[in-house]
Amino acid sequence: MRLNQVTFPVADIPRARAFWLKLGFALIVDSPHYCRFETPEGEATLSISLNPEAAGSGPKVYFEYESAEALDFAVALYERNGIEFETAPEDQSWLWREARLTDPDGNRLILYYAGENRLNPPWRV
């Protein structure tokens, strides 16, 4: 089994579309009530669906970077392009480096680097 996509509920399709395009996602489906994007790397996709009542209630979604330096560079680039972060990249006690933000509808996003600790932390069962 592979994860195909995650769908975020949003209140404003044009605003949400612009946000995901700023993050470097490629638009592959565009309609007044639904958009789907390809991730900048890999084969996963994500989508946004017009649902004002549920906007901001989506899951936390984690986007992985290949190194701590790549994460820090990406966050700096996004900030220069007007993306606001709740937290700058920080090393966490669970051995991941994370930066947190929300999309314009309040859906929670985490950009991170974990390296070997992604699947094999010292406390793995």
Side-chain angles (χ1 to χ4, degrees), residues 4-23 25-39 44-52 54-59 61 63 102-109:
N4 176 37
Q5 77 184 53
V6 173
T7 301
F8 291 100
V10 301
D12 183 318
I13 290 287
R15 179 184 67 188
R17 181 190 318 110
F19 174 81
W20 290 103
L21 291 172
K22 265 188 180 180
L23 286 179
F25 287 73
L27 185 64
I28 59 173
V29 175
D30 190 12
S31 78
H33 65 282
Y34 176 86
C35 292
R36 188 169 173 203
F37 304 86
E38 288 179 325
T39 55
T45 64
L46 69 83
S47 57
I48 55 175
S49 180
L50 187 60
N51 188 346
S57 66
V61 176
F63 295 98
T102 58
D103 73 4
D105 290 283
N107 294 301
R108 297 161 297 174
L109 312 174

